[in-house]
Amino acid sequence: MREENFEPVKAVRQYLDSVNCASEIKTTETTIFTVSDASFAVGAPEEEILKSILLRVNHGESRALALMSGINRVDTKKIERLLGAKHVSFAKAEECIEWSGFRPGGVPPVGYPEQPLTLLDEDLFKYGTVWAAAGTDHAFFPISPDELLRITGGRKACIKKG
């Protein structure tokens, strides 16, 4: 659980700095709470918006992070098979906030006390740049999928429905 004076954007910036990632965090007056909000705010198509989705693995024994193209949906059955898990489900908003300090709409791909096991939707690699939330629903940063793979220590995988 994060401390009470947790600063979400600062946590993301510190992580980016710690892994020598120079992506610039930008802020917007308009919200980036939904994919369509983010698309409008950053001026990029919805498929280039990065969704960071916190998952519960084996009923909360551990957590994973699914990084998805904005137009795709997570297939938890595929993730179960990839992880050899018995059960994968979406973390509820309250659990996400309590565990990570990040609120839905601002959940970033990095900046956690310990980086969760991270799976990157293979469709992200069709784009030169994707746009990730940076800890709040008003902060974001551009990053290449390859750089995202590097800084998360993640794994590229087919995790979308369909």
Side-chain angles (χ1 to χ4, degrees):
M1 187 167 124
R2 292 288 187 142
E3 64 269 4
E4 213 171 287
N5 60 349
F6 175 65
E7 296 179 46
V9 177
K10 185 176 179 182
V12 173
R13 179 75 266 156
Q14 287 174 333
Y15 186 88
L16 293 174
D17 290 345
S18 77
V19 294
N20 298 313
C21 179
S23 289
E24 181 186 351
I25 294 177
K26 303 171 188 246
T27 58
T28 178
E29 291 295 316
T30 58
T31 183
I32 60 166
F33 189 79
T34 67
V35 170
S36 60
D37 290 345
S39 175
F40 175 77
V42 305
E46 291 187 2
E47 54 267 20
E48 294 177 16
I49 301 302
L50 182 77
K51 294 190 292 192
S52 300
I53 302 166
L54 188 63
L55 302 168
R56 302 176 81 236
V57 179
N58 292 333
H59 305 284
E61 286 178 10
S62 63
R63 289 168 184 80
L65 194 61
L67 303 182
M68 304 296 297
S69 168
I71 60 172
N72 291 346
R73 293 176 43 217
V74 175
D75 187 327
T76 56
K77 296 297 180 201
K78 285 181 180 177
I79 293 175
E80 285 173 3
R81 287 190 294 277
L82 280 167
L83 301 183
K86 291 182 180 5
H87 185 262
V88 171
S89 62
F90 298 97
K92 289 186 169 51
E94 304 79 36
E95 180 182 4
C96 182
I97 295 164
E98 184 173 315
W99 182 77
S100 72
F102 299 114
R103 297 181 173 282
V107 175
V110 297
Y112 300 89
E114 183 178 317
Q115 183 68 28
L117 184 137
T118 306
L119 299 170
L120 287 82
D121 176 13
E122 64 188 7
D123 282 0
L124 293 171
F125 294 84
K126 295 177 182 177
Y127 314 109
T129 300
V130 294
W131 299 85
T136 73
D137 64 351
H138 290 277
F140 61 93
F141 64 98
I143 190 166
S144 75
D146 287 328
E147 180 70 345
L148 193 58
L149 186 65
R150 179 188 74 81
I151 70 169
T152 61
R155 182 167 132 197
K156 179 180 173 181
C158 178
I159 57 173
K160 71 176 181 180
K161 283 194 176 185

